């Protein structure tokens, strides 16, 4: 039960961060005139996609569920799944006009930038928390093994 709660909290945190990112991109699109407004239905759809992206990231990037794939393999798998899910969500929710390829190209560019942002943020977080852990481990060893 403890493990389930830990996983659920991690996915919830990722969902919140991704949802915030999607919402900020939508508001930026509205501010520069690409859309008229950001409606409540879109926000619910973005929350669903945020949860699915977070689940994908947990399963494919953490390395806990993908087996022996290397880091680059997991990232390539996540990138492909991320863009496929983004395009499927945009098509299913009717966010873009199927007859306007420039909208889909814009979505691809924003999706790639979001993918890079998510992963750069994850790497920075992992690096900082890893350094903190290493420092605490070093302190522990110096106090207990002197």
């Amino acid at each position: 039960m403890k493990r389930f709660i830990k996983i659920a909290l991690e996915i919830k945190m990722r969902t919140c961060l991704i949802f915030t990112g999607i919402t900020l991109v939508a508001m930026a699109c509205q501010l520069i005139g690409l859309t008229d407004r950001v409606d409540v239905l879109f926000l619910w759809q973005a929350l669903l996609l945020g949860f699915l992206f977070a689940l994908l990231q947990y399963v494919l990037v953490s390395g806990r569920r993908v087996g022996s794939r290397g880091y680059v393999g997991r990232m390539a798998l996540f990138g492909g799944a991320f863009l496929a899910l983004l395009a499927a969500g945009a098509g299913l929710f009717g966010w873009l006009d199927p007859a306007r390829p420039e909208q889909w190209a814009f979505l691809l560019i924003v999706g790639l930038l979001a993918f890079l942002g998510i992963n750069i943020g994850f790497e920075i977080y992992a690096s900082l928390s890893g350094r903190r852990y290493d420092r605490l481990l070093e302190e522990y060893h110096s106090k207990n093994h002197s």
Side-chain angles (χ1 to χ4, degrees):
M1 184 67 169
K2 219 174 168 181
R3 186 168 180 253
F4 173 78
I5 291 172
K6 183 180 178 189
I7 292 169
L9 288 174
E10 189 173 334
I11 291 172
K12 179 199 67 99
M13 183 218 33
R14 292 174 188 212
T15 299
C16 291
L17 291 172
I18 293 168
F19 174 72
T20 301
I22 292 171
T23 304
L24 290 173
V25 168
M27 290 195 303
C29 288
Q30 191 270 329
L31 283 173
I32 62 173
L34 294 176
T35 60
D36 304 5
R37 59 191 161 85
V38 177
D39 63 5
V40 175
L41 180 60
F42 170 82
L43 294 175
W44 283 108
Q45 294 165 347
L47 183 60
L48 175 62
L49 273 182
F51 170 74
L52 294 174
F53 288 143
L55 199 56
L56 271 177
Q57 186 182 30
Y58 178 79
V59 171
L60 299 178
V61 177
S62 71
R64 294 175 219 160
R65 303 282 180 253
V66 184
S68 63
R69 286 192 193 272
Y71 179 77
V72 173
R74 289 193 318 264
M75 295 308 290
L77 189 61
F78 176 54
F82 178 86
L83 292 174
L85 182 59
L86 179 63
L92 179 69
F93 299 138
W95 293 347
L96 304 174
D97 182 356
R100 298 201 44 207
E102 69 275 5
Q103 289 182 348
W104 292 91
F106 181 74
L107 179 73
L108 178 64
I109 291 167
V110 169
L112 286 171
L113 291 174
F115 174 75
L116 289 173
I118 288 169
N119 290 301
I120 289 170
F122 180 76
E123 290 299 323
I124 290 170
Y125 171 77
S127 174
L128 292 175
S129 62
R131 276 192 233 141
R132 181 177 174 267
Y133 175 76
D134 290 343
R135 189 181 74 248
L136 291 173
L137 189 61
E138 189 176 307
E139 280 179 32
Y140 170 79
H141 282 297
S142 67
K143 288 179 184 176
N144 295 315
H145 294 71
S146 299

